[in-house]
Amino acid sequence: MDPVYLDQNGEKFLPLFQSSKIGMIIAGPWALLDIIDHKIEYGVQVLPGYNGNHETIAGPDNWVVFDNGSRRAKAATDFLTWLTRPEQDARWTLGLGNLPIRKATTELPAYEKFIKDIPDIDVFTANLDNAKQARPHLPAYPEFSEKVGDAISEALVGGTPPQEALTAAATEAGTVLFVPGSVVLGLALALALNLKIPLIGFYRTCFFVPYVVSAAATGILANFVFDPDFGIVNAGLKAIGLPAMGFLQDPDQAMLTLVLISIWGGVGMPAVVYLAALQDIPRELVEAAKVDGGVGRHLLRHVVLPQLRPATVFLLIWQTITALQLFDLVYTTTKGQPLDSTTTIVFYLYRQAFQLFHSGYGTAIAYVLFLVTLAISGAVLWRSAR
């Protein structure tokens, strides 16, 4: 994202270093049309990169073509080919004030008019060269990206100290990753554990045991497993020719490592709940669907998953509360470090109330945590009832 600088009253642009009354908007090219419509003078500045590296990500357009028979496959391909040509890109994309999706579009006369009508839009276009990889196609990525983006915005405009913004983003990002990851993995395990295979009881026990083991014991074990120098994981990486990782001692990897440990230790709960729900699905319903031609993913999507809806709602609320209350695993592994990158909400509460003796502040955090948990639970229940 690139910042657009406006003055505090939205009337005049000044360089950031000349005045402390500058207002800064963290936005993208989509904001320029509104700024121009309100006749506000502005300027565009590229955010500073890490060690001079301005590499970013891009979200490619996704075109959905429905399967209407093999005879129409070529027609659909020809249509998409025509629609994404530079001429059509200039007509539709530039007409809406968006960045071109093809570099060849910038060579057309329409692009010259585009950058003339929207001053400084070429700064965004030039930065497209730094888009080295596509945006991940993960269900949790949009929310994860929003949390990190909000933290960057808060730090840049001076609303929140950078360290506090990093701590908040790490906590929220950990919740975003843990909840869908544990629920989806729990469903996959439940489907596998519902099969009639030899030693199925033993397999079910193996996956549920980590859940009943205390998080403190899991954390102590994780310290040995993910030790950068003597841990078994790095030993395995070195054995196959891969470089060693920092894991819990690397600020960029610590939170993700904790999420993986939490999923390993907590996936037993969703697996057991889903397994019970699967075994409660009426056999007649499944057999009727098979008679009507339902097999594989169609049977899963249209018969099994709708029957698992109550279990899914329960698990979303349960796992969200579990993620927000994560403490003992953090306490026994990183204690919020390195660089406060793994400071969760409850650990931050513990530090303020019992280490720094800010009792009032700690109490306020506890009340806010309760209200956030209540709001999330209510939102999930309301959404599921629609």
Side-chain angles (χ1 to χ4, degrees), residues 73-83 85:
K74 185 178 184 305
T77 302
D78 292 341
F79 171 73
L80 293 181
T81 302
W82 170 83
L83 187 62
R85 285 177 178 172

Side-chain angles (χ1 to χ4, degrees), residues 171-187 189 208 211 259-274 310-327 369 373 376-377 380:
T171 300
E172 294 172 344
T175 303
V176 169
L177 291 172
F178 171 76
V179 175
S182 60
V183 172
V184 172
L185 184 57
L187 175 59
L189 284 175
F208 189 68
Y211 178 74
V259 170
L260 294 177
I261 297 171
S262 299
I263 291 177
W264 175 81
V267 74
M269 176 67 174
V272 168
V273 172
Y274 272 133
T312 301
V313 173
F314 166 75
L315 287 173
L316 286 175
I317 296 175
W318 182 273
Q319 294 300 88
T320 299
I321 295 174
T322 301
L324 290 174
Q325 294 181 349
L326 181 64
F327 170 78
L369 177 60
T373 303
I376 293 175
S377 302
V380 173

Side-chain angles (χ1 to χ4, degrees), residues 9-164:
N9 299 317
E11 297 178 352
K12 186 177 181 180
F13 168 76
L14 293 172
L16 180 63
F17 55 82
Q18 288 189 5
S19 173
S20 60
K21 296 182 179 181
I22 297 298
M24 183 168 66
I25 301 175
I26 310 298
W30 56 85
L32 292 184
L33 288 181
D34 289 334
I35 292 174
I36 293 173
D37 288 342
H38 287 83
K39 297 180 173 57
I40 299 174
E41 296 184 18
Y42 66 91
V44 178
Q45 177 62 47
V46 178
L47 287 174
Y50 181 72
N51 288 338
N53 178 20
H54 291 275
E55 181 176 341
T56 184
I57 59 175
D61 291 322
N62 296 315
W63 302 97
V64 179
V65 180
F66 294 97
D67 185 4
N68 290 319
S70 58
R71 291 186 301 174
R72 298 188 179 183
K74 185 178 184 305
T77 302
D78 292 341
F79 171 73
L80 293 181
T81 302
W82 170 83
L83 187 62
T84 55
R85 285 177 178 172
E87 295 79 8
Q88 303 305 324
D89 184 24
R91 180 181 179 184
W92 299 107
T93 307
L94 301 186
L96 295 173
N98 296 328
L99 298 180
I101 61 175
R102 288 185 177 273
K103 196 162 187 177
T105 307
T106 62
E107 301 174 359
L108 299 177
Y111 178 74
E112 297 297 329
K113 182 178 183 302
F114 175 64
I115 61 177
K116 182 179 179 181
D117 294 340
I118 309 179
D120 288 339
I121 192 72
D122 54 325
V123 177
F124 292 99
T125 306
N127 198 47
L128 291 177
D129 292 335
N130 297 316
K132 305 299 184 182
Q133 57 185 344
R135 181 177 291 115
H137 288 275
L138 299 173
Y141 179 79
E143 189 174 355
F144 176 85
S145 177
E146 180 182 357
K147 303 301 182 186
V148 177
D150 290 345
I152 294 174
S153 301
E154 285 290 326
L156 287 175
V157 301
T160 304
Q163 189 57 65
E164 289 187 17

